[in-house]
Amino acid sequence: MKKIKVNVICAATCLFASLTASNSALAQKTHELTFSTYLPPAYEYVSKPIEQFINEVETESNGRIKINYFHSGQLYDGFGELSAVSRGDVDIVNMTGVYPSGSVPALNIFTLPFLYDDTAHLRRSIDAGILDLGIRQELSEKHNTVILGVGPWDPYEFYSKKKPIIKADDIKGQLWATSGSGDARAFQLLGGAPGSLSSSELYLAFDRGVIDATVRPLLTGIGRNLYEVVDYVSLSTFSIDISLLAINKEKWESLPSDLQAIIVRAAKNRDNDQYARVDSFIDEAISTYKSHGLKVNKIAPAEVSKMKELTAPAVDEWSSKVNRSEEYFDIIEKTKSH
């Protein structure tokens, strides 16, 4: 009788030890994630925060998360990133808002012309919940994608080769490289001839005379060496796009809660780092352009107002197609510095 009792106790002890070891192994499981971005390391105010995000996640998780990082479009270009993360072909992406806006039209709120004053205004609108009017939900429910963080680009400005953009009439008749439907429609209304090109194609397009001008952030000009093939930069704060750090929803839900918490903290730190870098970058970029012999002009407020008036139909058309559009505009208006 005693022998049976001892055997039962031993069996129970072994079972407990086995379950404990199993749970411990599960807790220590390494989660390998693939991170893809079309952006090159030369885009430093985006790439450096991404690198820090990866380092923080791997360090704070004590190696339980391993992130394989692919940049410069090694896996997907800007237009393909949302589909790739939605399918689970990659786990994490850093999307520029304009590229997935064809699938999520509400994202065009960040590339519609002349809505934002500066990056501080953009941040206030995000903190006020502008992404929660439908963008976050649509990405999750229709595209299997969870937003981890949101950072800024510096404002989109005018680059031109033949002549400077000083007034609205200077846009007419020029061949414009655009990146989304929102800016393309705006340039139609301004009398330009728009055509979609990714940032990686701009240098050759300018060099070969395929395009006359484009509207892009100052970072694009630095990262893609556009100062070698254009002669003018004109400042107007045409728009300010966002940098979306996002993860495949199924992959996200498969991660233990403690690892999710580490990723969320690292994503927030990444956002803060990118805002700080953008703020210091703008003046540096302008100085760099001038040092390369480019003529940098600031478009007069009266001409910006005229451009805004001429492109208002693009804003109205977007508004008619997007749910809760008036709430988007209310947030933008209420978060102006006044």
Side-chain angles (χ1 to χ4, degrees), residues 33 35 49 52-54 56-58 60-61 65 67 92 123 136 146-151 245-247 251-253 255-273:
L33 307 178
F35 190 135
Q52 180 56 38
F53 165 80
I54 292 170
E56 182 176 346
V57 169
E58 292 185 337
E60 293 300 315
S61 69
I65 297 179
I67 299 177
I92 305 176
R123 187 168 201 174
R136 196 181 300 275
V146 174
I147 295 175
L148 297 173
V150 187
L245 189 64
I247 189 169
K251 178 64 71 173
W252 177 247
E253 292 175 347
L255 297 173
S257 60
D258 64 321
L259 294 185
Q260 289 181 343
I262 288 171
I263 291 173
V264 167
R265 286 195 300 272
K268 184 65 175 177
N269 290 336
R270 169 263 186 186
D271 294 350
N272 291 336
D273 188 13

Side-chain angles (χ1 to χ4, degrees), residues 30-281:
T30 299
H31 299 266
E32 196 161 339
L33 307 178
T34 299
F35 190 135
S36 174
T37 178
Y38 77 98
L39 297 169
Y43 281 43
E44 287 194 359
Y45 74 57
V46 180
S47 64
K48 293 296 185 184
I50 287 174
E51 291 166 7
Q52 180 56 38
F53 165 80
I54 292 170
N55 182 65
E56 182 176 346
V57 169
E58 292 185 337
T59 301
E60 293 300 315
S61 69
N62 294 316
R64 290 169 59 200
I65 297 179
K66 166 65 178 173
I67 299 177
N68 300 310
Y69 180 43
F70 297 88
H71 56 74
S72 307
Q74 294 175 73
L75 300 182
Y76 295 94
D77 64 14
F79 290 105
E81 287 177 336
L82 177 57
S83 295
V85 75
S86 177
R87 294 189 303 265
D89 292 345
V90 297
D91 301 307
I92 305 176
V93 291
N94 186 69
M95 298 183 289
T96 300
V98 67
Y99 290 118
S101 64
S103 300
V104 186
L107 281 169
N108 277 313
I109 191 65
F110 302 107
T111 52
L112 289 173
F114 308 112
L115 294 184
Y116 285 99
D117 297 332
D118 49 34
T119 55
H121 182 197
L122 172 73
R123 187 168 201 174
R124 290 192 297 270
S125 78
I126 290 169
D127 290 344
I130 199 167
L131 290 169
D132 299 319
L133 298 178
I135 293 172
R136 196 181 300 275
Q137 296 88 332
E138 185 171 351
L139 281 169
S140 176
E141 294 169 8
K142 294 185 178 180
H143 299 282
N144 198 33
T145 299
V146 174
I147 295 175
L148 297 173
V150 187
W153 283 83
D154 70 89
Y156 277 51
E157 310 291 7
F158 298 112
Y159 295 80
S160 56
K161 189 174 181 68
K162 292 181 178 179
K163 63 179 181 179
I165 306 301
I166 302 297
K167 55 188 184 299
D169 284 347
D170 293 330
I171 293 171
K172 292 181 178 179
Q174 301 248 47
L175 300 173
W176 286 85
T178 57
S179 50
S181 58
D183 58 342
R185 179 62 176 134
F187 283 101
Q188 284 181 336
L189 292 165
L190 290 165
S196 179
L197 280 181
S198 69
S199 60
S200 62
E201 300 174 286
L202 292 173
Y203 187 99
L204 284 178
F206 271 119
D207 192 45
R208 295 172 178 175
V210 176
I211 58 173
D212 301 315
T214 191
V215 60
R216 286 299 203 282
L218 297 176
L219 182 62
T220 300
I222 301 295
R224 301 295 186 185
N225 299 330
L226 295 187
Y227 48 78
E228 296 177 356
V229 289
V230 302
D231 296 313
Y232 307 98
V233 176
S234 299
L235 309 177
S236 68
T237 310
F238 178 85
S239 61
I240 307 178
D241 206 351
I242 57 174
S243 173
L244 282 171
L245 189 64
I247 189 169
N248 174 270
K249 184 178 180 180
E250 293 170 2
K251 178 64 71 173
W252 177 247
E253 292 175 347
S254 75
L255 297 173
S257 60
D258 64 321
L259 294 185
Q260 289 181 343
I262 288 171
I263 291 173
V264 167
R265 286 195 300 272
K268 184 65 175 177
N269 290 336
R270 169 263 186 186
D271 294 350
N272 291 336
D273 188 13
Q274 190 160 327
Y275 272 105
R277 288 175 182 273
V278 167
D279 287 343
S280 63
F281 169 80

